[in-house]
Structures are given as structure tokens and as C-alpha cells.
Amino acid sequence: MPDTLAKLEQFKVFKIDKKTKECLLSISSASVDRLLKSARKKLGRKGTSTTKQPKYLIDRIPIKTFGEWKNSLPTTTPILNRKTTVL
């Protein structure tokens, strides 16, 4: 909170009197959350995120299981043979 108040004063966003500034610096974050609870309900949002994750991410990733390998043909991987010289 001190950093936020310093920036607000620096950029002259709000003019804060001395008593209000002392109150804001002495309040705890839990008290701020409790005081802003009714204002958050009016906004109608829950939590901090408004995006939804896919329900089942595992269903979107194709994975071969042991049963699916039965019909696959074996393939070969070419290996290059390079000669190395030792000095």
C-alpha cells in the first residue's frame, strides 16, 4: 500500500489528506478485503480470472496407448556413420 500511495501522489491522481493517508497505511489487507466485499458482489465477478480452462485437457492431447501400437508398423531410423580422425 505504501508504494501505491506514493505513486498516486507522485502522478497527482488523487489528493489524499494526512489523516486518510495514515488510515490507509495502517489498515491490513484482510480489513480492506472485508470492507470491499459488498463492492465486489455488485461487480458480479468471482475470483480474479474470467477465463475458463478446458474441462478435460487429457482428452485434447492425442496419446498412443499399448493397444494402439499393435497395428503400427515398425519403422527404422537412419543412422549416419561418420568417420572421426584422431590427431
Side-chain angles (χ1 to χ4, degrees):
M1 185 65 92
D3 297 332
T4 305
L5 288 177
K7 290 296 179 184
L8 289 174
E9 288 178 343
Q10 178 185 356
F11 294 113
K12 298 177 183 167
V13 177
F14 294 110
K15 187 169 183 160
I16 303 170
D17 62 344
K18 196 172 189 176
K19 183 179 178 184
T20 306
K21 185 177 179 181
E22 289 174 4
C23 289
L24 288 173
L25 291 174
S26 65
I27 195 168
S28 68
S29 60
S31 296
V32 171
D33 286 339
R34 191 172 50 254
L35 292 171
L36 293 176
K37 188 176 184 179
S38 62
R40 286 193 184 114
K41 280 188 178 182
K42 289 179 184 177
L43 291 175
R45 293 189 296 168
K46 293 182 179 179
T48 57
S49 177
T50 57
T51 59
K52 285 190 171 185
Q53 295 179 348
K55 190 165 186 173
Y56 298 107
L57 183 62
I58 194 74
D59 294 337
R60 297 177 184 253
I61 302 171
I63 299 173
K64 279 192 171 183
T65 59
F66 289 106
E68 294 171 356
W69 285 100
K70 291 179 183 175
N71 296 333
S72 298
L73 296 174
T75 59
T76 59
T77 305
I79 299 174
L80 299 175
N81 189 2
R82 296 185 182 177
K83 293 182 180 180
T84 57
T85 56
V86 179
L87 296 175

